[in-house]
Every structure is written in C-alpha cells, then in structure tokens.
Amino acid sequence: MNLIDQREVFLQFAPWCVDDIKIDSSTISISGWAVPYMGNWESLEFFINNDRKSYFQTDRVDLIEVFPFWKEIEKTGFNIVVQRESMKSKNDEIVISRNKFYEDRIFDNYYFPLEERVYLNLPPSNLRSQVHGSDATSAFILEGFSSFRKLDMLLKKYLGQGIDDPLPILDWGCGCGRVSRYRKGENEYFYGVDTNYESIYGCKENLCGNFEVSSSLPPLYFPDNYFHAIYGVSILTHLNPEDQFVWIKELLRITRVGGVIMLSFHGIRSLLRFNLNDYDFNELNKKNFVNLGRNSTFDLIGSIGERYYDIVQTQDLLRSILGDMRCDIFFHEGVIGNHQDVLVLKKLGEL
C-alpha cells in the first residue's frame, strides 16, 4: 500500500465534522469543518432539517497540523447561523446534513436536541473530557445525542425496537452516560457498566437505570441469554484483539438468540484522524490492525489504563475474531462521530 495513494482514496469520503453549536433565544450557530467531494468546492452545501442554508467559510489553520496531507485544509472551516423562528421543527431536535434528503444518509448526519433538560445534571468536566477529549458542553451533547440517535436507528433496523422500548438493554462501557442520558422514560431493564467508579457513581445519581462497576476483563454478572440489545461506543477502539475476542464472546453469552449487539471501532474512516505513517499502514496491511500505543486517558485511575490502547483495525480482523461464533455479521461505516464504523451482530444460537 502506498501511503499517499491511500489518503487520496480516503478523500473520496469527503469527511466533515461539526465542532460546536451555540444556541440563544433567537439564533442557532453551527461551526465545524468539511472537505468537499473530490475537491470540488462548488459541491459543498449544508442543510438544517432539510432546508438548504448558506454558510460562511472560516479559517481553520489549526487543522494543518492535524491533517498536513490535505490540500487547502485551512479553508475547510464553516459557520452556519440560523434564525430559530425560520427553522422547520423536527421533534425538538435539529438535523445537520450535507444532503438535501437527510433521511437517505441518516448515519452521515449530526443530531442535536433542543430540549432544555439535556443541560441538566451534566457530568463534571473531567468525566466529559475522558469520553470526549474536551469538556465542551455543546460538543459533549452533540456527540452523545448523535450517537444515541444513530444506535437507536440501527437497533430498529435489526431488532424492530429501539433503545427507549422496555427491553433488557446494556450500555457496555457507559462511561458518564454520554449516550444513555438521552433515553426517554424509565426502563427497569436498562443497565450500564463501566470500569470507572466515578462515572458509575454519577450515573447512579443522575440517570434512570441500573449502573454497576465492571472489571476490565470478563465475566459480567448477568445470566446467559438475558439482553435483547447491547451497545458499546468507543470500547473496541481501545482494546487489543485478544481482549476484543474475550469481550465479544462474553457479550454474546449474555445476549438472547435473535438479540443484537452494536459495537463501534476505528476502521477505514478513522485512519485519517490518526494521521498514520507508512510503518503503521504496513502493520495494518500485515495484521489487519495496528496498535498505536497506550491511551493515557485513564493512567491515573487505578489499573484501568493498563489495557487501554488506541487501535485501528479492518473488518477482516473482526471476522477472524468472531470465527465460528454463531451470529450474523453486518458493518456500517463512518457512523459514530462520522468516522467510527459499527459492527452489528445478531445472535443465531448458543455459542
């Protein structure tokens, strides 16, 4: 694989990111960066709830260091200002899209709630930083709610029911509740587990559900064939292949036949975010994964950080990990954060 050629292929994905949303009584301001399709700046356009909106091009020199290989990356910044009174309403949320018919590209969009309650009982800044990389409130809400909406849509696609339905559901690696906090109503069968005691304590205090501390390796305390659905956001992204194997096997154990597991991982869409060098690309080619080293997020929290890495991998690696485990396998690219892929497993029978 040639590094430069590979990056040119990735540019066809036209990656984009919403960085920040500011809302007051009259306006909504949305900012981020977007690479145009195949370098065609005329093709760059944005839609809010299906309405095309004009934008201001902004200077993003900060991206040069992050993405030095992208031509004119400093020109990719954008800012959209929308008058609230002129905006079409959609279930107390806004959908930010690069496609006129956003229902056709549901996993490429961003979603943001307009309900005031989402600002209540937010986790402290240190916990927001652990799961998001910064403590910015609007970005924490944007990524958490977007992930919730996309996982809910995936669950309805493969199970016919959503996260708000009264099913036994597990948020595996729930952290401080970045995703689970957007559930509506109470569900006595909803569970969340995480290795971080402080995060679990905050969830117990502020969210509905059953939240417990787990160890960094199986088993979990749940019985066989219990959950209808399990999801894990940004967990496989930090586990080496050996740990991925034992955890996926454990999650399948506690999932009922016909149940669904949804797990995000760093696949092809995530490669550019890490700015891999030639050596890393060669490792990825040889092994179908590359370990970029320890992630320092949890270094000061007991032994949690000892098994916590930054992992980029291919779909083939996951197929080999799954081996003869009895499940149907599906992949969706660029779902979480508009760059993490999602592995969807539907359990067929006993392991």
Side-chain angles (χ1 to χ4, degrees):
M1 179 188 299
N2 181 279
L3 178 60
I4 301 300
D5 290 346
Q6 187 67 26
R7 284 173 172 163
E8 289 300 317
V9 171
F10 295 152
L11 286 177
Q12 297 178 31
F13 296 142
W16 71 298
C17 176
V18 175
D19 288 329
D20 191 25
I21 294 182
K22 292 182 172 63
I23 300 177
D24 59 31
S25 59
S26 60
T27 62
I28 299 175
S29 177
I30 301 166
S31 59
W33 56 267
V35 174
Y37 293 108
M38 302 303 295
N40 178 14
W41 291 94
E42 298 296 322
S43 70
L44 192 59
E45 55 184 1
F46 301 94
F47 299 85
I48 309 297
N49 291 359
N50 250 16
D51 280 350
R52 188 177 187 275
K53 300 297 181 182
S54 59
Y55 68 94
F56 302 99
Q57 193 170 12
T58 60
D59 201 13
R60 291 298 301 265
V61 294
D62 58 306
L63 296 177
I64 296 176
E65 183 176 352
V66 182
F67 306 120
F69 44 83
W70 281 351
K71 184 179 180 181
E72 299 182 312
I73 188 66
E74 71 277 7
K75 297 181 180 180
T76 59
F78 69 85
N79 181 252
I80 306 166
V81 178
V82 181
Q83 298 299 316
R84 295 191 66 168
E85 64 181 15
S86 67
M87 190 183 67
K88 291 182 180 178
S89 176
K90 178 175 169 47
N91 301 325
D92 295 319
E93 70 179 33
I94 58 174
V95 182
I96 309 156
S97 178
R98 289 179 63 174
N99 303 277
K100 181 175 182 180
F101 301 105
Y102 59 80
E103 292 92 346
D104 296 336
R105 299 291 297 275
I106 55 177
F107 300 124
D108 190 49
N109 302 328
Y110 283 91
Y111 303 84
F112 194 86
L114 295 177
E115 299 172 287
E116 293 296 328
R117 71 180 184 92
V118 301
Y119 295 94
L120 300 176
N121 300 320
L122 285 172
S125 61
N126 67 307
L127 296 183
R128 298 200 303 272
S129 295
Q130 282 176 8
V131 298
H132 182 65
S134 81
D135 63 356
T137 298
S138 63
F140 176 82
I141 293 172
L142 174 71
E143 290 294 349
F145 186 73
S146 292
S147 296
F148 174 86
R149 290 282 284 111
K150 293 176 181 182
L151 290 170
D152 187 57
M153 289 184 280
L154 279 172
L155 191 57
K156 289 174 179 175
K157 173 181 175 67
Y158 289 102
L159 193 65
Q161 295 175 286
I163 298 176
D164 283 332
D165 288 309
L167 309 169
I169 296 177
L170 174 65
D171 184 339
W172 174 57
C174 62
C176 57
R178 177 171 60 161
V179 175
S180 58
R181 64 183 285 109
Y182 300 104
R183 292 181 299 112
K184 293 184 178 179
E186 296 188 11
N187 178 2
E188 61 180 311
Y189 303 109
F190 184 88
Y191 295 84
V193 296
D194 198 88
T195 55
N196 187 348
Y197 172 82
E198 186 181 0
S199 291
I200 290 297
Y201 178 80
C203 289
K204 284 177 174 286
E205 288 289 301
N206 298 301
L207 302 179
C208 295
N210 308 284
F211 295 91
E212 299 294 339
V213 177
S214 72
S215 62
S216 58
L217 286 173
L220 295 172
Y221 62 89
F222 304 107
D224 294 356
N225 306 307
Y226 181 67
F227 289 103
H228 283 60
I230 296 174
Y231 63 83
V233 176
S234 296
I235 310 301
L236 293 188
T237 54
H238 300 296
L239 299 182
N240 63 46
E242 293 77 19
D243 286 356
Q244 289 185 28
F245 171 80
V246 296
W247 269 117
I248 291 175
K249 188 174 182 180
E250 173 69 358
L251 296 179
L252 282 167
R253 177 189 70 80
I254 61 178
T255 301
R256 74 176 182 94
V257 175
V260 172
I261 301 172
M262 304 176 291
L263 306 172
S264 73
F265 65 97
H266 285 142
I268 285 185
R269 297 291 186 98
S270 294
L271 290 179
L272 289 179
R273 308 291 176 115
F274 288 102
N275 190 17
L276 301 186
N277 57 37
D278 284 310
Y279 175 81
D280 293 330
F281 269 122
N282 289 332
E283 285 290 291
L284 186 63
N285 269 344
K286 288 188 296 184
K287 301 178 180 179
N288 281 322
F289 83 97
V290 58
N291 186 333
L292 299 177
R294 284 272 299 278
N295 183 297
S296 62
T297 300
F298 293 106
D299 278 356
L300 300 179
I301 306 177
S303 61
I304 297 174
E306 294 178 2
R307 315 184 77 90
Y308 200 75
Y309 304 94
D310 285 323
I311 303 292
V312 179
Q313 63 195 83
T314 66
Q315 295 179 8
D316 285 342
L317 177 73
L318 284 164
R319 289 191 180 94
S320 67
I321 286 173
L322 289 162
D324 58 358
M325 296 185 194
R326 292 179 55 78
C327 56
D328 282 331
I329 305 170
F330 308 92
F331 291 100
H332 293 267
E333 293 185 357
V335 176
I336 302 300
N338 276 27
H339 67 94
Q340 287 187 29
D341 295 351
V342 171
L343 164 70
V344 178
L345 304 176
K346 192 157 190 175
K347 185 173 176 179
L348 296 177
E350 298 304 312
L351 302 181

